[in-house]
Amino acid sequence: MSKHCREFKLQVAKLALETNSRAIGRQFDVTHRQVRYWSSVYRIHGLNSFLHKEKPYSRDFKLSALKAINENNWSLTYTSAHLDLSSPGMLFEWQKQYHSGGITNLTPRRKGRPSMKQRSPQPKPSEQMTEKELREELAYLRAENAVLKKLEALAQKRKKKTKTKP
């Protein structure tokens, strides 16, 4: 999610076409580079700027963006403005990923934590377990039993306290 909404970017970009980007940056508390970038995107795309329709960007799109840089000798800033990306830093990251691992590194990945792996619903039968596995399971069950006994003792202690208090 972008820090600034689309309407704000359009407003700043329109003003930047008429006035100094540093003054506008100070007025709206945005860096002058960001103001210049937004104005260049606005110059290229007009009112259709800052839509970012293709998110998350596919591997083919990323590869075509990197090819456009090399074939046309465009800067990262101009290329990202031409493609209406949210920032030129995205292209820099794509370049790094491409140079470090090729096309496979450009494949979009899911965000967030990976889902937990499902454990097998039924444990192994004890006949198929090795002696070591049986000993580990026995130790686990003993520890679990001890915890449950302590929990029960605490619950009884609380009941006893509440009974004695008038």
Side-chain angles (χ1 to χ4, degrees):
M1 178 93 193
S2 177
K3 182 178 178 181
H4 302 288
C5 67
R6 180 175 181 269
E7 290 76 23
F8 175 76
K9 291 178 185 179
L10 285 171
Q11 177 189 2
V12 170
K14 287 175 188 175
L15 286 172
L17 295 176
E18 302 163 3
T19 27
N20 184 349
S21 62
R22 287 188 189 270
I24 293 172
R26 274 187 242 113
Q27 179 183 350
F28 291 103
D29 196 28
V30 179
T31 64
H32 68 280
R33 281 186 173 182
Q34 191 70 59
V35 173
R36 282 199 308 250
Y37 177 70
W38 289 344
S39 68
S40 64
V41 171
Y42 182 72
R43 261 187 259 119
I44 294 169
H45 297 283
L47 292 176
N48 294 327
S49 303
F50 314 114
L51 292 176
H52 313 297
K53 298 171 191 162
E54 273 195 55
K55 274 191 170 179
Y57 299 107
S58 67
R59 178 179 55 191
D60 297 330
F61 178 80
K62 292 176 183 179
L63 192 60
S64 67
L66 295 176
K67 282 182 182 177
I69 292 171
N70 293 331
E71 290 173 359
N72 301 321
N73 289 328
W74 287 345
S75 68
L76 291 176
T77 307
Y78 181 78
T79 307
S80 66
H82 181 73
L83 297 172
D84 194 18
L85 300 178
S86 58
S87 76
M90 292 173 70
L91 278 175
F92 180 72
E93 286 298 316
W94 295 348
Q95 273 186 331
K96 265 191 348 188
Q97 290 170 354
Y98 182 74
H99 290 300
S100 70
I103 292 176
T104 55
N105 272 9
L106 294 177
T107 305
R109 294 184 183 91
R110 291 184 58 175
K111 291 188 176 183
R113 285 181 171 231
S115 59
M116 291 181 58
K117 294 179 182 173
Q118 297 293 325
R119 293 194 175 190
S120 59
Q122 296 181 0
K124 229 188 220 183
S126 56
E127 297 85 34
Q128 295 176 356
M129 294 176 126
T130 64
E131 185 179 340
K132 183 181 178 187
E133 290 174 330
L134 286 169
R135 288 183 188 276
E136 286 175 358
E137 185 177 5
L138 179 64
Y140 176 80
L141 291 172
R142 283 181 177 168
E144 186 179 30
N145 196 11
V147 167
L148 291 173
K149 282 181 181 179
K150 284 195 177 199
L151 185 65
E152 182 66 30
L154 285 172
Q156 286 179 358
K157 194 175 182 180
R158 283 190 189 144
K159 280 185 181 179
K160 194 174 185 181
K161 275 187 179 180
T162 56
K163 283 184 181 179
T164 56
K165 284 187 178 179

